[in-house]
């Protein structure tokens, strides 16, 4: 065989990821430029953006508390 099975699987996976990204890009372009798609996708985009905002808020809250703990420990170490 010319290609090993592992190499072939990696190429197939790369092609699948590329196709998925192209599909997402095509839907985004339709959403941006075609009014009927924008109207039909608006609820999904709104829910998705709210979910991303919630996850970002929780992540930033945890990151803030972690940095406060590390700052206190560092200040204690400096004294």
């Amino acid at each position: 065989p010319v290609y090993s099975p592992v190499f072939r699987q990696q190429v197939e996976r790369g092609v699948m990821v590329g196709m998925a990204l192209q599909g997402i890009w095509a839907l985004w372009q339709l959403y941006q430029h075609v009014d009927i798609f924008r109207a039909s996708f608006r609820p999904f985009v709104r829910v998705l953006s709210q979910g991303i905002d919630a996850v970002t808020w929780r992540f930033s809250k945890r990151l803030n508390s972690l940095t406060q703990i590390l700052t206190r420990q560092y200040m204690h170490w400096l004294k």
Side-chain angles (χ1 to χ4, degrees):
V2 178
Y3 301 112
S4 68
V6 174
F7 181 75
R8 185 177 183 90
Q9 287 175 348
Q10 294 300 324
V11 169
E12 288 175 357
R13 185 170 293 140
V15 169
M16 292 290 285
V17 168
M19 289 175 59
L21 291 175
Q22 287 177 359
I24 291 169
W25 179 255
L27 288 174
W28 178 251
Q29 291 300 311
L30 286 172
Y31 177 77
Q32 288 291 322
H33 300 291
V34 181
D35 292 335
I36 192 165
F37 282 99
R38 187 178 308 136
S40 62
F41 285 138
R42 188 172 291 133
F44 298 111
V45 171
R46 187 176 297 136
V47 168
L48 184 64
S49 67
Q50 288 173 353
I52 290 172
D53 288 343
V55 169
T56 304
W57 172 254
R58 281 184 266 161
F59 176 75
S60 64
K61 195 172 175 182
R62 287 182 183 173
L63 186 63
N64 187 30
S65 64
L66 176 65
T67 55
Q68 285 179 353
I69 291 169
L70 292 175
T71 302
R72 282 191 212 117
Q73 290 178 351
Y74 181 69
M75 294 303 289
H76 179 70
W77 179 77
L78 284 177
K79 291 181 181 179

